Amino acid sequence: MKYTTMENKILFLRISYWAGAILDAIAFLIMIFPSLFALNNGLTSFKPGPDYRYAMGMGAPLMLGWTVLLLWADRKPMERKGILLITLLVVLGEVATEIVGVMTGFIAVSAMLLTWTIQFVLSVLFVFSYWNASK
């Protein structure tokens, strides 16, 4: 497959935008519903208090907004490719937060392995798509 044709550049950008949007929509739901957060992170006795609900309530609209932002970028994929690099900062921030969660004993490493794998693959996809579209 020749990655450098205009059609393929746009295809990779669109795959990136949609993959990010879908994962952000899932993250939004996980933030809104504490039971999904507990299930996703292997927290069997998780009992969120008002502090957790407040913090997630502050973050969830941002995640929903980022979902919409990625779908908006898909409307003009080449012109808005820079959104992928900005989104990469969000992904790396999530990873840093998850590492703190593991280091403090809040979340087990085993519960994070799939998430980190997905984030790694998504990051590689974003960087490749941006680089490919910039050639």
Side-chain angles (χ1 to χ4, degrees), residues 5-59:
T5 66
M6 185 56 71
E7 296 83 19
N8 284 332
K9 288 178 181 186
I10 291 171
L11 176 64
F12 276 104
L13 287 170
R14 288 205 156 128
I15 290 170
S16 296
Y17 297 139
W18 278 91
I22 290 167
L23 290 170
D24 284 352
I26 292 168
F28 168 76
L29 293 173
I30 288 170
M31 294 171 83
I32 290 295
F33 299 106
S35 59
L36 289 178
F37 176 83
L39 179 67
N40 186 62
N41 292 292
L43 302 170
T44 56
S45 59
F46 182 63
K47 304 282 187 251
D51 52 350
Y52 169 86
R53 292 180 186 276
Y54 179 79
M56 287 295 123
M58 294 293 292

Side-chain angles (χ1 to χ4, degrees), residues 44-113:
T44 56
S45 59
F46 182 63
K47 304 282 187 251
D51 52 350
Y52 169 86
R53 292 180 186 276
Y54 179 79
M56 287 295 123
M58 294 293 292
L62 295 171
M63 193 60 69
L64 182 60
W66 212 270
T67 302
V68 173
L69 179 70
L70 287 164
L71 295 174
W72 172 76
D74 180 64
R75 300 298 83 212
K76 293 185 179 180
M78 290 298 285
E79 295 89 338
R80 297 174 182 162
K81 67 182 178 287
I83 294 295
L84 292 177
L85 296 183
I86 299 168
T87 304
L88 189 58
L89 294 173
V90 175
V91 173
L92 295 176
E94 292 291 322
V95 170
T97 301
E98 293 155 358
I99 289 170
V100 169
V102 168
M103 291 175 63
T104 61
F106 179 65
I107 297 174
V109 171
S110 59
M112 295 309 309
L113 292 178

